[in-house]
Amino acid sequence: MSLQDKKILIGITGGIAAYKISFLIRDFVKQGAEVQVIMTPSARTFVSELTLATLSKNPVYSDFYGENGTWNNHVELGMWADAMIIAPCTANTLSKMVHGQCDHLLLATYLSARCPVFIAPAMDLDMYAHPSTRQNLEMAEDFGHIVIPAEEGELASGLVGPGRMAEPETILYAVKNYFLPQHKSLQGKTVLITAGPTYEAIDPVRFIGNHSSGKMGFELAKEAAARGAKVILVSGPTALVPENREIDLHRVTSAAEMLDEVFKHYHHADIAIASAAVADYAPKEIAPEKIKKNDDHLTIELVKNPDILKTMGAQKKQQFLVGFALETQNEEANALAKLEKKNLDMIVLNSLRDEGAGFKNDTNRITIFTKQEQIGFDLKSKKEVAADILDAVEMRLLK
Ligand code: CTP
């Protein structure tokens, strides 16, 4: 039981997702954790204290003062906890947290807590997207808190979009992962990553290629290695060099070479992530000598390259397979179609329409799709995006 004797303080605020916290408490208790619960006054209208007290095997607190004039000591509660989880966290409580307000016990305890704080926001779509909420979530992250992003789906208002609280198992995973020794959460796993562009030769000096820098794949490799995985990185031409010597780098040039190299390792991989921007077509013939500019027109016949990811999907056994999609239109539908067509477990969509996202930038804004879920993320550095992708993989593979 990986959370044996860990002291978990759960703060529930007034959102419809409060009912799901019963399952979260049960899961924490099953993992050997000790659980105490604080509710905001409005949370009490959504879920019964009796249910929470029964499941946590502890009294539930919501006021500064208990019965018979006793004082519910927020300092003691804050000091007691090894982790504090605010779930669901409403826009109101989030705002009060990051601005130091303190008008109920949950906030006083939060301000007194010295332990890591996890925040699982839950609110309606426009509230979640509002610049003030985005700013408050960023502030919470700047304080060092761990924000567990809301998921997309049908909301209590009937609207559909991001804002639904992460599922209890996702919250549980985030907390469990935090307590793993040195975060070596991928120890014993082999991760195969493709990165960079491919160059398809036209003649000895020219090629067809693209602007991919390889940064996303190299960041994924670095993050996976930091989590203890054995990492095999198959990269097309890029100037990047892995910082971590443990990464087993194989440099290739063309899509055909990438396919060959990938299949030397794929069968042993536990996780395979195709972040390479593979050229879809290659010249049918490579001219043996440099093509001279004799004519006004030059036609080069192209033939389709092998689809490396689709081939991986067709031969998938134990591998958790992740693809990327770079779309300029009908993004969601195209990404979901690729998930299906290439037999993937997950697809990471980045849109070229987003400023700061895409090939050459150091930042990226992604949406992750599985067959059941859709999770949107803010614009972040590729390093942070790599961590988000691996968190998402681990949550589904290792739980
Ligand atoms: N990919 C691959 N081999 C190829 C083409 C793509 O492994 N020959 C992988 C990429 O690494 C990426 C995913 O497939 O993970 C999506 O690639 P993309 O080019 O966007 O999709 P395609 O299926 O090629 O569709 P289209 O170009 O029509 O959008």
Side-chain angles (χ1 to χ4, degrees):
M1 289 198 284
S2 52
L3 290 172
Q4 190 67 47
D5 299 329
K6 285 277 179 286
K7 297 185 174 72
I8 306 291
L9 183 60
I10 301 184
I12 307 177
T13 77
I16 186 72
Y19 80 92
K20 290 191 181 172
I21 302 306
S22 312
F23 301 101
L24 183 62
I25 296 171
R26 190 197 54 192
D27 289 347
F28 274 125
V29 170
K30 268 196 204 156
Q31 295 285 326
E34 227 181 292
V35 180
Q36 297 215 64
V37 177
I38 305 179
M39 299 168 90
T40 62
S42 63
R44 296 162 76 175
T45 53
F46 288 94
V47 63
S48 110
E49 276 182 27
L50 182 62
T51 308
L52 302 172
T54 310
L55 288 167
S56 67
K57 306 185 177 79
N58 273 310
V60 171
Y61 303 101
S62 52
D63 294 324
F64 282 107
Y65 301 98
E67 280 165 23
N68 313 321
T70 52
W71 182 48
N72 292 328
N73 190 332
H74 57 86
V75 180
E76 257 174 30
L77 275 168
M79 301 276 270
W80 170 84
D82 294 318
M84 182 169 190
I85 298 144
I86 321 287
C89 184
T90 55
N92 182 38
T93 297
L94 173 69
S95 171
K96 288 180 175 177
M97 283 166 67
V98 296
H99 292 97
Q101 290 192 46
C102 187
D103 61 4
H104 51 64
L105 182 71
L106 192 154
L107 289 166
T109 309
Y110 158 73
L111 289 170
S112 312
R114 293 186 184 168
C115 59
V117 175
F118 296 76
I119 298 172
M123 59 199 78
D124 212 65
L125 140 116
D126 295 304
M127 296 170 79
Y128 191 58
H130 196 280
S132 68
T133 306
R134 307 315 312 162
Q135 207 174 348
N136 289 342
L137 286 169
E138 265 174 43
M139 278 172 77
E141 283 186 324
D142 289 344
F143 293 170
H145 302 336
I146 297 151
V147 174
I148 306 167
E151 296 181 359
E152 309 230 354
E154 194 168 329
L155 302 164
S157 61
L159 296 174
V160 177
R164 204 165 68 169
M165 188 185 77
E167 290 301 319
E169 58 265 36
T170 307
I171 301 173
L172 177 75
Y173 167 81
V175 177
K176 270 169 76 174
N177 189 44
Y178 181 87
F179 285 113
L180 279 180
Q182 299 166 315
H183 288 254
K184 295 285 186 207
S185 47
L186 287 175
Q187 193 87 48
K189 300 281 176 210
T190 299
V191 181
L192 171 65
I193 298 167
T194 69
T198 64
Y199 287 180
E200 312 300 332
I202 298 170
D203 68 16
V205 294
R206 302 183 184 92
F207 59 83
I208 296 172
N210 59 60
H211 289 302
S212 168
S213 62
K215 279 179 197 156
M216 194 64 248
F218 275 65
E219 287 296 350
L220 280 162
K222 191 168 141 191
E223 181 66 26
R227 295 179 185 209
K230 176 178 185 302
V231 181
I232 299 150
L233 177 60
V234 180
S235 175
T238 147
L240 300 175
V241 178
E243 287 167 38
N244 186 327
R245 284 166 186 227
E246 312 275 284
I247 294 171
D248 183 11
L249 172 65
H250 300 264
R251 292 197 188 269
V252 296
T253 304
S254 65
E257 284 173 25
M258 189 175 271
L259 179 76
D260 276 356
E261 194 59 47
V262 160
F263 276 90
K264 287 182 194 160
H265 311 280
Y266 181 62
H267 298 293
H268 314 292
D270 300 294
I271 300 166
I273 308 178
S275 71
V278 183
D280 287 328
Y281 292 90
K284 187 173 179 195
E285 270 152 31
I286 305 173
E289 303 296 338
K290 185 174 171 231
I291 300 172
K292 300 300 263 177
K293 52 178 178 308
N294 294 332
D295 301 320
D296 285 345
H297 296 97
L298 173 68
T299 304
I300 299 171
E301 193 182 343
L302 301 177
V303 288
K304 210 169 197 178
N305 266 333
D307 189 321
I308 303 167
L309 182 58
K310 196 172 172 197
T311 317
M312 287 196 263
Q315 299 190 28
K316 189 167 74 156
K317 294 207 168 71
Q318 80 285 354
Q319 299 89 348
F320 189 93
L321 188 56
V322 184
F324 273 73
L326 186 67
E327 305 291 346
T328 53
Q329 54 187 350
N330 296 334
E331 300 169 332
E332 184 180 330
N334 284 338
L336 285 170
K338 272 176 204 169
L339 180 82
E340 191 67 39
K341 192 174 81 185
K342 301 195 187 192
N343 192 24
L344 310 181
D345 297 293
M346 184 182 283
I347 191 153
V348 180
L349 167 71
N350 40 58
S351 159
L352 267 185
R353 283 192 303 201
D354 284 314
E355 208 178 306
F359 274 0
K360 280 187 175 166
N361 290 305
D362 287 328
T363 49
N364 209 354
R365 198 183 75 79
I366 60 161
T367 308
I368 290 180
F369 295 87
T370 65
K371 286 204 176 95
Q372 300 82 24
E373 309 144 294
Q374 174 178 347
I375 311 156
F377 294 83
D378 292 335
L379 185 72
K380 293 185 182 186
S381 71
K382 285 189 175 167
K383 181 180 167 48
E384 290 168 302
V385 171
D388 286 340
I389 293 170
L390 288 175
D391 282 349
V393 171
E394 286 182 27
M395 275 174 210
R396 283 146 193 94
L397 180 70
L398 308 177
K399 72 183 176 201

